[in-house]
Every structure is written in structure tokens, then in C-alpha cells.
Amino acid sequence: MIQSYRIDVYGIVQGVGFRWFAQQTANKYHLVGWVCNNSNGSVEMRVQGQETNVKAFIEAINQGPGYYSRVDKVLKHAVAPFESNNFAIK
């Protein structure tokens, strides 16, 4: 079943390659949507795809891209389905 979520990620997630990591991870799990930086230092995403793939994506996001990043909190909220054919960095 296709699921759609807004995901907000807090921690050290800007200026450390986090959006690129999110895009690569979304592509790995065949998800569509987008990722952008927020002015409060968090990263916001819209993610849509098969429920099992979204769960795997969120598990990977919780780990972060590596040494320079730190994920403190990930919030997930269901949203209405949206149209997209890729996962974009905004």
C-alpha cells in the first residue's frame, strides 16, 4: 500500500550532506517526494511509496549520512497523497 508522510528531522542535519543522503536513500527504496532545509535548522521531507520501503527509509534516515551529522529526532506525520515522479532536493 502506498503511504505519504511529512518527515521532520532535527539535529545536525544542515551543511553535512543530509539532503543528498536523503535523496540517495529515497532512490534506493524507490520513494518519491522532496527534501529541503528549514530556517530553524531542521530538514523537512515529503515521502511517498510502499509502506515497507518508507519504514526502511526512516530507519536509514535515523542513522544519518555519517560522521559530521547527528540525528536527534525524527517526526513522521501522514499527509495526503501527492504527485511526483522523483525525489528532489529543494
Side-chain angles (χ1 to χ4, degrees):
M1 175 178 266
I2 299 292
Q3 299 291 322
S4 305
Y5 295 100
R6 172 185 171 157
I7 300 171
D8 295 297
V9 184
Y10 298 88
I12 300 173
V13 292
Q14 290 190 10
V16 292
F18 196 89
R19 291 179 298 159
W20 178 86
F21 168 73
Q23 182 185 50
Q24 297 304 306
T25 305
N27 289 338
K28 175 181 176 181
Y29 291 109
H30 310 288
L31 303 175
V32 298
W34 52 264
V35 58
C36 71
N37 286 335
N38 282 333
S39 60
N40 67 358
S42 69
V43 169
E44 177 182 340
M45 294 180 261
R46 291 290 188 285
V47 177
Q48 184 169 271
Q50 292 292 330
E51 189 170 0
T52 54
N53 290 353
V54 172
K55 285 182 181 180
F57 172 79
I58 292 172
E59 287 176 16
I61 289 300
N62 268 303
Q63 300 305 309
Y67 180 76
Y68 295 105
S69 70
R70 187 185 76 231
V71 175
D72 294 334
K73 180 170 53 171
V74 177
L75 300 177
K76 177 182 84 167
H77 306 283
V79 296
F82 54 86
E83 290 292 322
S84 181
N85 3 340
N86 65 1
F87 193 90
I89 295 175
K90 292 186 171 184

